[in-house]
Amino acid sequence: MVTEIGFVSLLVAGLGALAGGLIYLAVRISRGNW
């Protein structure tokens, strides 16, 4: 059973990881380091 707090924490962590990945890719592409 997942509580609301646990669910929100997982959701925030997932979105944070996704945003971090996109930012990382954006930096790599902008710098041209493949």
Side-chain angles (χ1 to χ4, degrees):
M1 178 177 176
V2 179
T3 61
E4 286 188 23
I5 296 177
F7 178 75
V8 173
S9 297
L10 289 175
L11 183 61
V12 172
L15 292 176
L18 180 61
L22 291 176
I23 293 173
Y24 173 75
L25 288 177
V27 171
R28 281 187 61 93
I29 292 174
S30 66
R31 289 183 179 178
N33 293 328
W34 289 97

